[in-house]
Amino acid sequence: MVATGPLIAVAHGSRDPRSAATMHALVERIREARPSLDVRLSFLDLNAPSVDRTVDGVAADGYTSAVAVPLLLGSAFHARVDLPRLLATARYRRPSLSVLQADVLGTDDRIVRAVRSRAVEAGADPDDDRLGVAVAAVGSSSDVANERTAQVARRIASGTRWRTRICFATACGPTVAEALSGLRAEGAERF
């Protein structure tokens, strides 16, 4: 038996292949930064491998423990209900494997710095008061989870002259189009 286990990165999943490619690239960067850490990617929906399949692979490789890290900003349904249910089922199927769930990425300073850094790398000037930044997330029926996204948006703009708005891919709104319209109304000319 292997005593310590891997980190299971748990992504949402998407029909857009760029999303899965981004998650694979992220996991590869983690592997490069921590070569001694076994990092495995799984998806909650729409992409493979599933959380179940990844957990089964961890157990088949002889590990006795693992940590599942939800690659999610908000602590919404997937983080509070779906993933805990999947991990509880996995523990039942694989009683010799202990799988702990870490907290969501949330409003961690590193997320904020990474998003701001990517915007600057793409040509955004922190002193440009005509720049509008739409911070998009999946969205949730949980107002608390959506507020975390709003916090990220505000913190991304902190220390810059950028205008930010949040938007969501789901029906909870505002949509991307509504966020861009709001940014235009506030004077943003570039996005």
mmCIF file of all heavy atoms in Angstrom, residues 155-188:
data_model
loop_
_atom_site.group_PDB
_atom_site.id
_atom_site.type_symbol
_atom_site.label_atom_id
_atom_site.label_comp_id
_atom_site.label_asym_id
_atom_site.label_seq_id
_atom_site.Cartn_x
_atom_site.Cartn_y
_atom_site.Cartn_z
ATOM 1 N N ARG A 155 -11.821 42.848 -6.631
ATOM 2 C CA ARG A 155 -10.409 42.752 -6.257
ATOM 3 C C ARG A 155 -9.497 42.782 -7.473
ATOM 4 O O ARG A 155 -8.381 43.291 -7.389
ATOM 5 C CB ARG A 155 -10.193 41.509 -5.408
ATOM 6 C CG ARG A 155 -10.851 41.715 -4.027
ATOM 7 C CD ARG A 155 -10.736 40.536 -3.128
ATOM 8 N NE ARG A 155 -9.350 40.211 -2.897
ATOM 9 C CZ ARG A 155 -8.922 38.975 -2.664
ATOM 10 N NH1 ARG A 155 -9.769 37.978 -2.631
ATOM 11 N NH2 ARG A 155 -7.657 38.742 -2.446
ATOM 12 N N ILE A 156 -9.956 42.268 -8.601
ATOM 13 C CA ILE A 156 -9.157 42.333 -9.828
ATOM 14 C C ILE A 156 -8.932 43.794 -10.210
ATOM 15 O O ILE A 156 -7.846 44.182 -10.616
ATOM 16 C CB ILE A 156 -9.836 41.555 -10.976
ATOM 17 C CG1 ILE A 156 -9.730 40.049 -10.713
ATOM 18 C CG2 ILE A 156 -9.238 41.915 -12.335
ATOM 19 C CD1 ILE A 156 -10.616 39.209 -11.593
ATOM 20 N N ALA A 157 -9.953 44.608 -10.051
ATOM 21 C CA ALA A 157 -9.851 46.018 -10.436
ATOM 22 C C ALA A 157 -9.141 46.865 -9.388
ATOM 23 O O ALA A 157 -8.678 47.964 -9.701
ATOM 24 C CB ALA A 157 -11.248 46.583 -10.684
ATOM 25 N N SER A 158 -9.014 46.361 -8.176
ATOM 26 C CA SER A 158 -8.373 47.136 -7.112
ATOM 27 C C SER A 158 -6.940 47.501 -7.510
ATOM 28 O O SER A 158 -6.173 46.667 -7.968
ATOM 29 C CB SER A 158 -8.361 46.308 -5.819
ATOM 30 O OG SER A 158 -7.718 47.020 -4.798
ATOM 31 N N GLY A 159 -6.613 48.792 -7.365
ATOM 32 C CA GLY A 159 -5.276 49.251 -7.719
ATOM 33 C C GLY A 159 -5.127 49.569 -9.198
ATOM 34 O O GLY A 159 -4.041 49.886 -9.658
ATOM 35 N N THR A 160 -6.225 49.429 -9.957
ATOM 36 C CA THR A 160 -6.220 49.784 -11.377
ATOM 37 C C THR A 160 -7.315 50.833 -11.591
ATOM 38 O O THR A 160 -8.050 51.173 -10.671
ATOM 39 C CB THR A 160 -6.530 48.570 -12.285
ATOM 40 O OG1 THR A 160 -7.928 48.264 -12.187
ATOM 41 C CG2 THR A 160 -5.697 47.367 -11.916
ATOM 42 N N ARG A 161 -7.434 51.288 -12.810
ATOM 43 C CA ARG A 161 -8.515 52.204 -13.163
ATOM 44 C C ARG A 161 -9.584 51.471 -13.981
ATOM 45 O O ARG A 161 -10.475 52.099 -14.555
ATOM 46 C CB ARG A 161 -7.940 53.390 -13.923
ATOM 47 C CG ARG A 161 -6.973 54.180 -13.011
ATOM 48 C CD ARG A 161 -6.406 55.384 -13.672
ATOM 49 N NE ARG A 161 -7.483 56.377 -13.828
ATOM 50 C CZ ARG A 161 -7.382 57.433 -14.615
ATOM 51 N NH1 ARG A 161 -6.285 57.668 -15.296
ATOM 52 N NH2 ARG A 161 -8.382 58.281 -14.716
ATOM 53 N N TRP A 162 -9.492 50.150 -14.033
ATOM 54 C CA TRP A 162 -10.420 49.348 -14.811
ATOM 55 C C TRP A 162 -11.821 49.384 -14.220
ATOM 56 O O TRP A 162 -12.014 49.509 -13.015
ATOM 57 C CB TRP A 162 -9.967 47.901 -14.867
ATOM 58 C CG TRP A 162 -8.622 47.675 -15.472
ATOM 59 C CD1 TRP A 162 -7.918 48.511 -16.290
ATOM 60 C CD2 TRP A 162 -7.806 46.511 -15.292
ATOM 61 N NE1 TRP A 162 -6.726 47.945 -16.651
ATOM 62 C CE2 TRP A 162 -6.621 46.715 -16.044
ATOM 63 C CE3 TRP A 162 -7.955 45.334 -14.581
ATOM 64 C CZ2 TRP A 162 -5.613 45.770 -16.103
ATOM 65 C CZ3 TRP A 162 -6.952 44.392 -14.638
ATOM 66 C CH2 TRP A 162 -5.793 44.612 -15.397
ATOM 67 N N ARG A 163 -12.767 49.180 -15.084
ATOM 68 C CA ARG A 163 -14.168 49.013 -14.685
ATOM 69 C C ARG A 163 -14.458 47.507 -14.788
ATOM 70 O O ARG A 163 -14.057 46.884 -15.769
ATOM 71 C CB ARG A 163 -15.083 49.786 -15.619
ATOM 72 C CG ARG A 163 -14.731 51.254 -15.710
ATOM 73 C CD ARG A 163 -15.329 51.878 -16.975
ATOM 74 N NE ARG A 163 -14.749 53.172 -17.231
ATOM 75 C CZ ARG A 163 -15.103 54.294 -16.621
ATOM 76 N NH1 ARG A 163 -16.040 54.266 -15.707
ATOM 77 N NH2 ARG A 163 -14.519 55.436 -16.935
ATOM 78 N N THR A 164 -15.105 46.947 -13.794
ATOM 79 C CA THR A 164 -15.414 45.516 -13.851
ATOM 80 C C THR A 164 -16.893 45.267 -13.621
ATOM 81 O O THR A 164 -17.570 46.040 -12.942
ATOM 82 C CB THR A 164 -14.620 44.703 -12.808
ATOM 83 O OG1 THR A 164 -14.935 45.169 -11.504
ATOM 84 C CG2 THR A 164 -13.132 44.766 -13.056
ATOM 85 N N ARG A 165 -17.348 44.206 -14.197
ATOM 86 C CA ARG A 165 -18.703 43.696 -13.998
ATOM 87 C C ARG A 165 -18.606 42.174 -13.974
ATOM 88 O O ARG A 165 -17.764 41.591 -14.630
ATOM 89 C CB ARG A 165 -19.633 44.086 -15.146
ATOM 90 C CG ARG A 165 -20.011 45.535 -15.230
ATOM 91 C CD ARG A 165 -21.164 45.816 -14.283
ATOM 92 N NE ARG A 165 -21.579 47.192 -14.357
ATOM 93 C CZ ARG A 165 -22.806 47.572 -14.664
ATOM 94 N NH1 ARG A 165 -23.732 46.679 -14.952
ATOM 95 N NH2 ARG A 165 -23.113 48.845 -14.661
ATOM 96 N N ILE A 166 -19.507 41.557 -13.242
ATOM 97 C CA ILE A 166 -19.589 40.101 -13.261
ATOM 98 C C ILE A 166 -20.665 39.688 -14.255
ATOM 99 O O ILE A 166 -21.588 40.449 -14.548
ATOM 100 C CB ILE A 166 -19.877 39.496 -11.876
ATOM 101 C CG1 ILE A 166 -21.190 40.028 -11.300
ATOM 102 C CG2 ILE A 166 -18.719 39.747 -10.940
ATOM 103 C CD1 ILE A 166 -21.663 39.300 -10.064
ATOM 104 N N CYS A 167 -20.519 38.478 -14.759
ATOM 105 C CA CYS A 167 -21.544 37.907 -15.628
ATOM 106 C C CYS A 167 -21.489 36.389 -15.466
ATOM 107 O O CYS A 167 -20.490 35.837 -14.999
ATOM 108 C CB CYS A 167 -21.357 38.332 -17.069
ATOM 109 S SG CYS A 167 -19.706 38.089 -17.737
ATOM 110 N N PHE A 168 -22.586 35.754 -15.843
ATOM 111 C CA PHE A 168 -22.708 34.323 -15.626
ATOM 112 C C PHE A 168 -23.203 33.609 -16.879
ATOM 113 O O PHE A 168 -23.991 34.160 -17.641
ATOM 114 C CB PHE A 168 -23.665 34.052 -14.464
ATOM 115 C CG PHE A 168 -23.212 34.675 -13.175
ATOM 116 C CD1 PHE A 168 -23.809 35.831 -12.694
ATOM 117 C CD2 PHE A 168 -22.166 34.128 -12.460
ATOM 118 C CE1 PHE A 168 -23.377 36.415 -11.517
ATOM 119 C CE2 PHE A 168 -21.725 34.702 -11.279
ATOM 120 C CZ PHE A 168 -22.333 35.855 -10.811
ATOM 121 N N ALA A 169 -22.749 32.398 -17.058
ATOM 122 C CA ALA A 169 -23.124 31.595 -18.213
ATOM 123 C C ALA A 169 -24.497 30.961 -18.043
ATOM 124 O O ALA A 169 -25.096 30.523 -19.013
ATOM 125 C CB ALA A 169 -22.083 30.503 -18.458
ATOM 126 N N THR A 170 -25.009 30.915 -16.815
ATOM 127 C CA THR A 170 -26.300 30.281 -16.561
ATOM 128 C C THR A 170 -27.398 31.326 -16.487
ATOM 129 O O THR A 170 -27.157 32.521 -16.622
ATOM 130 C CB THR A 170 -26.255 29.479 -15.249
ATOM 131 O OG1 THR A 170 -25.932 30.380 -14.194
ATOM 132 C CG2 THR A 170 -25.242 28.368 -15.316
ATOM 133 N N ALA A 171 -28.585 30.867 -16.215
ATOM 134 C CA ALA A 171 -29.758 31.743 -16.229
ATOM 135 C C ALA A 171 -29.808 32.732 -15.064
ATOM 136 O O ALA A 171 -30.697 33.564 -15.019
ATOM 137 C CB ALA A 171 -31.019 30.884 -16.221
ATOM 138 N N CYS A 172 -28.868 32.674 -14.132
ATOM 139 C CA CYS A 172 -28.962 33.548 -12.963
ATOM 140 C C CYS A 172 -28.650 35.007 -13.299
ATOM 141 O O CYS A 172 -29.013 35.893 -12.549
ATOM 142 C CB CYS A 172 -28.073 33.045 -11.832
ATOM 143 S SG CYS A 172 -26.314 33.124 -12.173
ATOM 144 N N GLY A 173 -27.975 35.257 -14.422
ATOM 145 C CA GLY A 173 -27.677 36.613 -14.889
ATOM 146 C C GLY A 173 -26.827 37.394 -13.929
ATOM 147 O O GLY A 173 -26.608 36.973 -12.815
ATOM 148 N N PRO A 174 -26.246 38.486 -14.305
ATOM 149 C CA PRO A 174 -26.331 39.076 -15.634
ATOM 150 C C PRO A 174 -25.548 38.263 -16.669
ATOM 151 O O PRO A 174 -24.593 37.581 -16.331
ATOM 152 C CB PRO A 174 -25.725 40.466 -15.459
ATOM 153 C CG PRO A 174 -24.798 40.340 -14.296
ATOM 154 C CD PRO A 174 -25.404 39.289 -13.407
ATOM 155 N N THR A 175 -25.974 38.381 -17.907
ATOM 156 C CA THR A 175 -25.298 37.680 -19.001
ATOM 157 C C THR A 175 -24.042 38.453 -19.403
ATOM 158 O O THR A 175 -23.845 39.597 -18.977
ATOM 159 C CB THR A 175 -26.229 37.569 -20.218
ATOM 160 O OG1 THR A 175 -26.476 38.896 -20.714
ATOM 161 C CG2 THR A 175 -27.543 36.879 -19.870
ATOM 162 N N VAL A 176 -23.241 37.857 -20.259
ATOM 163 C CA VAL A 176 -22.058 38.534 -20.782
ATOM 164 C C VAL A 176 -22.478 39.808 -21.513
ATOM 165 O O VAL A 176 -21.893 40.882 -21.316
ATOM 166 C CB VAL A 176 -21.243 37.606 -21.716
ATOM 167 C CG1 VAL A 176 -20.123 38.373 -22.391
ATOM 168 C CG2 VAL A 176 -20.694 36.407 -20.942
ATOM 169 N N ALA A 177 -23.518 39.700 -22.347
ATOM 170 C CA ALA A 177 -23.988 40.879 -23.092
ATOM 171 C C ALA A 177 -24.433 41.988 -22.134
ATOM 172 O O ALA A 177 -24.153 43.166 -22.373
ATOM 173 C CB ALA A 177 -25.129 40.487 -24.030
ATOM 174 N N GLU A 178 -25.116 41.634 -21.062
ATOM 175 C CA GLU A 178 -25.562 42.643 -20.091
ATOM 176 C C GLU A 178 -24.376 43.280 -19.377
ATOM 177 O O GLU A 178 -24.363 44.495 -19.140
ATOM 178 C CB GLU A 178 -26.526 42.013 -19.074
ATOM 179 C CG GLU A 178 -27.866 41.639 -19.669
ATOM 180 C CD GLU A 178 -28.701 40.744 -18.779
ATOM 181 O OE1 GLU A 178 -28.142 40.079 -17.869
ATOM 182 O OE2 GLU A 178 -29.921 40.687 -18.997
ATOM 183 N N ALA A 179 -23.372 42.475 -19.049
ATOM 184 C CA ALA A 179 -22.184 43.024 -18.388
ATOM 185 C C ALA A 179 -21.455 43.995 -19.316
ATOM 186 O O ALA A 179 -21.057 45.087 -18.896
ATOM 187 C CB ALA A 179 -21.246 41.899 -17.956
ATOM 188 N N LEU A 180 -21.301 43.618 -20.578
ATOM 189 C CA LEU A 180 -20.629 44.494 -21.538
ATOM 190 C C LEU A 180 -21.420 45.778 -21.748
ATOM 191 O O LEU A 180 -20.848 46.872 -21.831
ATOM 192 C CB LEU A 180 -20.398 43.768 -22.867
ATOM 193 C CG LEU A 180 -19.426 42.585 -22.807
ATOM 194 C CD1 LEU A 180 -19.344 41.897 -24.166
ATOM 195 C CD2 LEU A 180 -18.059 43.003 -22.320
ATOM 196 N N SER A 181 -22.735 45.660 -21.807
ATOM 197 C CA SER A 181 -23.584 46.844 -21.954
ATOM 198 C C SER A 181 -23.419 47.774 -20.750
ATOM 199 O O SER A 181 -23.317 48.998 -20.900
ATOM 200 C CB SER A 181 -25.046 46.411 -22.108
ATOM 201 O OG SER A 181 -25.889 47.532 -22.185
ATOM 202 N N GLY A 182 -23.383 47.189 -19.554
ATOM 203 C CA GLY A 182 -23.182 47.985 -18.343
ATOM 204 C C GLY A 182 -21.825 48.659 -18.322
ATOM 205 O O GLY A 182 -21.697 49.821 -17.907
ATOM 206 N N LEU A 183 -20.808 47.949 -18.774
ATOM 207 C CA LEU A 183 -19.466 48.535 -18.836
ATOM 208 C C LEU A 183 -19.419 49.698 -19.827
ATOM 209 O O LEU A 183 -18.822 50.733 -19.559
ATOM 210 C CB LEU A 183 -18.430 47.462 -19.201
ATOM 211 C CG LEU A 183 -18.119 46.451 -18.098
ATOM 212 C CD1 LEU A 183 -17.360 45.247 -18.668
ATOM 213 C CD2 LEU A 183 -17.354 47.095 -16.962
ATOM 214 N N ARG A 184 -20.089 49.523 -20.984
ATOM 215 C CA ARG A 184 -20.161 50.615 -21.969
ATOM 216 C C ARG A 184 -20.835 51.838 -21.372
ATOM 217 O O ARG A 184 -20.391 52.971 -21.555
ATOM 218 C CB ARG A 184 -20.926 50.154 -23.214
ATOM 219 C CG ARG A 184 -20.088 49.428 -24.206
ATOM 220 C CD ARG A 184 -20.860 49.186 -25.523
ATOM 221 N NE ARG A 184 -20.268 48.086 -26.210
ATOM 222 C CZ ARG A 184 -20.676 46.807 -26.134
ATOM 223 N NH1 ARG A 184 -21.716 46.490 -25.414
ATOM 224 N NH2 ARG A 184 -20.040 45.867 -26.787
ATOM 225 N N ALA A 185 -21.935 51.592 -20.646
ATOM 226 C CA ALA A 185 -22.676 52.699 -20.024
ATOM 227 C C ALA A 185 -21.814 53.440 -18.999
ATOM 228 O O ALA A 185 -22.027 54.637 -18.765
ATOM 229 C CB ALA A 185 -23.953 52.162 -19.364
ATOM 230 N N GLU A 186 -20.861 52.748 -18.398
ATOM 231 C CA GLU A 186 -19.952 53.370 -17.422
ATOM 232 C C GLU A 186 -18.758 54.050 -18.101
ATOM 233 O O GLU A 186 -17.902 54.602 -17.417
ATOM 234 C CB GLU A 186 -19.436 52.315 -16.449
ATOM 235 C CG GLU A 186 -20.491 51.757 -15.523
ATOM 236 C CD GLU A 186 -19.958 50.619 -14.661
ATOM 237 O OE1 GLU A 186 -18.736 50.320 -14.698
ATOM 238 O OE2 GLU A 186 -20.775 50.019 -13.952
ATOM 239 N N GLY A 187 -18.679 53.967 -19.426
ATOM 240 C CA GLY A 187 -17.601 54.639 -20.140
ATOM 241 C C GLY A 187 -16.500 53.746 -20.675
ATOM 242 O O GLY A 187 -15.535 54.234 -21.253
ATOM 243 N N ALA A 188 -16.641 52.443 -20.512
ATOM 244 C CA ALA A 188 -15.610 51.546 -21.055
ATOM 245 C C ALA A 188 -15.703 51.537 -22.580
ATOM 246 O O ALA A 188 -16.787 51.499 -23.150
ATOM 247 C CB ALA A 188 -15.792 50.126 -20.516
#
